[in-house]
Amino acid sequence: MKVRIFDTPEAVASALAERVADALAARPSLVLGLPTGRTPIAAYAELRRLHTAGRADFSRASTFNLDEFAGIPALHAGSFRAFMDRHLFGAVNLPPARIHFLDGAADDLDAECARYEAAIEAAGGLDLQMLGIGANGHIGFNEPGDELAARTHRVRLADTTRRDNAPLFGGDPANVPREALSMGMGTILKAAEIVLIATGERKAQCVERAIGGPVTTRLPASFLQLHPRVELYLDRAAASRLRP
Ligand code: GLP
């Protein structure tokens, strides 16, 4: 894994946005995998800025978000779809037909997962997957456990993850759905390139274990060690437990 350490979270955000803008310039029909969470918010703001400055053209790109809460419609303010509309989609020139999302309100959630997996295949696979990391080492909503699902699937969310996502649901973890839909580890690892961003002291331990520890289902991000083209963009706090 290629690790790049930046002085501040803002520097991480702008490096990620530049990385995406460069990828779009090199391949205008880029198929981009997108994360939610607090960490990428600044990178999305930076991408909006680059778009306004004429340096990030999404007109031929496609996007697939990693995950979505189960049981809530896209229009719900707490949905990841609403998050993406707020932070990116509403301000760049992505054609709506090429914005792909899991529908957490679908009648048949298993069929919805199969549909999504097929849609990624039909798009030619993910060229560049952006990732955040949960404080427990989850990526997407692939939570630590005895086993990890390879393909897009339903997940039961860990209590810590529901607490972390409470701000989207009025601050009360009890309001956070218990289940979600997520790309699987195999879906993510099939991306041609992966860039994971992590900022803050809270992520330092899982970053250290993801990079230097064993590959284990107990820390889903550790599976990234198996991928040939992974970059980690970290601020100093998230990198604070790495050996120089
Ligand atoms: C959610 C998302 C993950 C994200 C994680 C970290 O659980 N499903 O994709 O990486 O949050 O969020 P934050 O960046 O707020 O720490």
Side-chain angles (χ1 to χ4, degrees), residues 34-41 66-69 80 83 130-136 138-143 157 160-162 164-165 168 180-182 196-199 202-203:
L34 297 173
T36 52
R38 279 151 291 193
T39 317
I41 289 177
L66 278 165
D67 45 17
E68 180 59 285
F69 295 105
F80 282 161
F83 172 101
M130 292 164 59
L131 288 178
I133 183 169
N136 64 0
H138 74 231
I139 52 179
F141 268 142
N142 293 280
E143 296 280 29
L157 297 176
T160 52
T161 302
R162 291 179 70 220
D164 284 351
N165 283 280
L168 291 172
L181 309 181
S182 177
L196 182 145
I197 54 166
T199 57
R202 220 173 128 251
K203 302 290 172 70

Side-chain angles (χ1 to χ4, degrees), residues 68-74 102-109 112 181:
E68 180 59 285
F69 295 105
I72 58 166
L102 281 155
D103 177 7
D107 288 336
D108 181 341
L109 292 177
E112 174 60 8
L181 309 181

Side-chain angles (χ1 to χ4, degrees), residues 195-233:
V195 183
L196 182 145
I197 54 166
T199 57
E201 176 71 38
R202 220 173 128 251
K203 302 290 172 70
Q205 191 182 10
C206 63
V207 164
E208 177 197 25
R209 291 175 58 212
I211 295 175
V215 175
T216 166
T217 60
R218 297 278 158 202
L219 192 89
S222 65
F223 276 73
L224 296 174
Q225 293 179 38
L226 304 176
H227 192 285
R229 295 183 74 184
V230 176
E231 295 162 76
L232 273 82
Y233 288 11

